[in-house]
Amino acid sequence: MAKITKRSPLAPDEFPKLPMIAGVSFAAAQAGVRYGGRTDVMLALLAPGTAMAGVFTRSATRSANVLDCQAKIGTPAEAGAAIVVNSGNSNAFTGRAGDESVAAICAAVARTTGVPETRVFTSSTGVIGERLPHDRIIAKLEELEAGLSEDAIEAAAHAIMTTDTFPKGAAASFSRDGKTVSIAGIAKGSGMIAPDMATMLVYVFTDAKIVQPDLQAMLSELTGPTFNSITVDSDTSTSDTLLMAATGVSGVTIPAGDAEFRAALHSVMLDLAHQVVRDGEGATKFVEIRVTGAANDADARTHAMAIANSPLVKTAIAGEDPNWGRIVMAVGKSGAAADRDRLTIRFGDVLVAENGWVAPSYREEDAAALMKEPEIFISVDLGLGAGTATVWTCDLTHGYIEINADYRS
Amino acid sequence: MAKITKRSPLAPDEFPKLPMIAGVSFAAAQAGVRYGGRTDVMLALLAPGTAMAGVFTRSATRSANVLDCQAKIGTPAEAGAAIVVNSGNSNAFTGRAGDESVAAICAAVARTTGVPETRVFTSSTGVIGERLPHDRIIAKLEELEAGLSEDAIEAAAHAIMTTDTFPKGAAASFSRDGKTVSIAGIAKGSGMIAPDMATMLVYVFTDAKIVQPDLQAMLSELTGPTFNSITVDSDTSTSDTLLMAATGVSGVTIPAGDAEFRAALHSVMLDLAHQVVRDGEGATKFVEIRVTGAANDADARTHAMAIANSPLVKTAIAGEDPNWGRIVMAVGKSGAAADRDRLTIRFGDVLVAENGWVAPSYREEDAAALMKEPEIFISVDLGLGAGTATVWTCDLTHGYIEINADYRS
């Protein structure tokens, strides 16, 4: 089994200090689903009235947990809610047994916490195709319930890690009417437990009072420029899940589309998304790709993702090679509109190519110096219209091969 | 600069014995475009009446040579034709200078051979974004013209290599009306000269007599199940070119869609396509992916390509890991129709998964033994309809990273 212990060179120095969110309590435990000597299950209990919103993988082979969460998202909020997440086994592609595991966990959580089954949300991440030993999780529910604390979000962030090299958290807050509204979130992603694919799980909590449709609308909209604008290796998990809970305990009511709340939520989601990229398998470079001047925003995104997912671009960045020819290649193959002779390419502030050829002012040593930095900025202007998009990715290194070409057993 | 000298472990033992094609003669020379001590330019001269067909990259940033070839494909055949190919410099993304280089070479070839400029086809492969030193090619044209021989196709196959680890050739022939019709082709591909992308160039020759529209129709149709069904790393060159010449010198007229000719041409194209995969950068495994039971053929192809291009699938194969969970993931993310619980997956003859879960008969040691072979067969049945597709790829190894993450300078 692949064992990754080295903290990503792109990791933040430490886990951030996250505010407590009134109406949410957390606990973590060692259930021994697959790992030994570490926590691998977390419970979050949410106050009555909590609105739940969610965004899920569009994979046609998504896991039993994802299907169950999707079915429950719109259920009435009065009874509160619970979230249970385990690492070590994804319960994906486990047939009918997978559905049975989800049902068994939800029933047991309902018995232990008093939250109805229709308000219990589960995620599983880890090995796929092996039956989830859900009894091990159920056996820990009383311990989890007894240990619930408003100040345990960091423990929850640790329990959901697979081969993530650091726990991921982010927060934002603002004042309104003399009260403070807080948002805090945790995530795991881009770590790999052989033989699984990289799964991204994200849980965001706020004490704001927002009705479910408004919360869902904001969460769905903000997923586009955040979690759906990152890519490590273009592969999509069967378990990707983003859940958001608004407890309302702050007493501050947030109307639909509130700009201040939207900005705060955007910052938390973007921060977590960037941390997922910074923990990309084998990553040594954090790369921002900004496309402007495309025929429209959709075309800009197509170009940006073609660049971000190109193995040739990603290996060039790993080699600190300012290989702009590969950017031209990726734009050309993307399928979106482009005119070779209107392309402008920059690395950071260095103008690399324009008018269909290398810029007269370009000196390779300038670009080569930028490529040695841990953060790389690539901008491409198509010269065609007003479409823009920004995406983030990492490089493709020997580390990625090492993590993913290892034997599973 | 990356220097790859080791012959691919998947290479054939030797260059095949190719038949001479009446009406085509070849020559190769050392022009010193970029490389020293090897041939890097080839000339093929085609008899009057030769019909030319072509299929080209759809890249929006395609090279000046490609644009020029596309414009000339349908010109009248009476005057014959010439093909000039250089390696070492792709003349791609070189702005107006790129067009000037193509025009200069075509004019010089016309002067030397008597073939009109409108029938001179050029390809360039190698470094991109640097001006092609076309004078070095032009300076060799008289030597090339003097050295033309019907028996020099292998020399031509060598001259077009970049970091290919072996020259690629294939042939087929059949009898009709007491005469023999022959087809012979050469290709380069998936080799990399830093900092270029992998470019595939293919030249196929026959002595059959076919009118241009019929030749073009057959070539275009057969590109789908051959060259467009292989992938090394999902990146598409700005220079990909497939040219076919039918000299007619055999005197055998081939009508539109002739089944025997079609089968012979298919075998040559498929053989060359497979050789390109076998020389994939860093490849240690040749992988066939067959999808059946899809809603339609287009869906089958989408699934097959999603599997073939998945970095997680390709690294698992590199690690000889029968990681069928990653196949499920790739099918799920492809965007084409799939039902998790109807999927059937096989490695070779080993039934791995069915009915949404691992097969009861599955023993990992059986699949693990198959994964140690140099040729891997993966089949996926969707259980939805009659759509089928087969594609070929290679694994993703440290060798790929080594070749592509090297410094350009």
Side-chain angles (χ1 to χ4, degrees), chain A residues 196-286:
Chain A
D196 205 0
M197 71 286 305
T199 285
M200 186 177 70
L201 301 179
V202 187
Y203 306 94
V204 182
F205 307 92
T206 179
D207 49 16
K209 190 169 184 60
I210 318 179
V211 296
Q212 200 277 341
D214 293 351
L215 185 67
Q216 183 66 53
M218 213 153 2
L219 190 71
S220 297
E221 179 213 335
L222 290 172
T223 299
T226 59
F227 297 111
N228 280 348
S229 291
I230 61 172
T231 178
V232 169
D233 59 7
S234 80
D235 278 338
T236 305
S237 165
T238 53
S239 303
D240 288 336
T241 295
L242 162 61
L243 281 174
M244 181 161 184
T247 67
V249 177
S250 70
V252 178
T253 299
I254 298 294
D258 183 277
E260 198 166 25
F261 184 85
R262 189 183 176 288
L265 179 57
H266 182 244
S267 78
V268 171
M269 291 169 69
L270 190 62
D271 191 343
L272 290 172
H274 285 183
Q275 289 186 52
V276 169
V277 172
R278 287 175 181 279
D279 210 6
E281 293 164 343
T284 67
K285 305 283 184 183
F286 177 82

Side-chain angles (χ1 to χ4, degrees), chain B residues 231-255:
Chain B
T231 178
V232 170
D233 59 7
S234 81
D235 277 337
T236 305
S237 165
T238 53
S239 302
D240 287 336
T241 294
L242 162 60
L243 281 175
M244 180 161 185
T247 66
V249 176
S250 71
V252 178
T253 298
I254 299 292

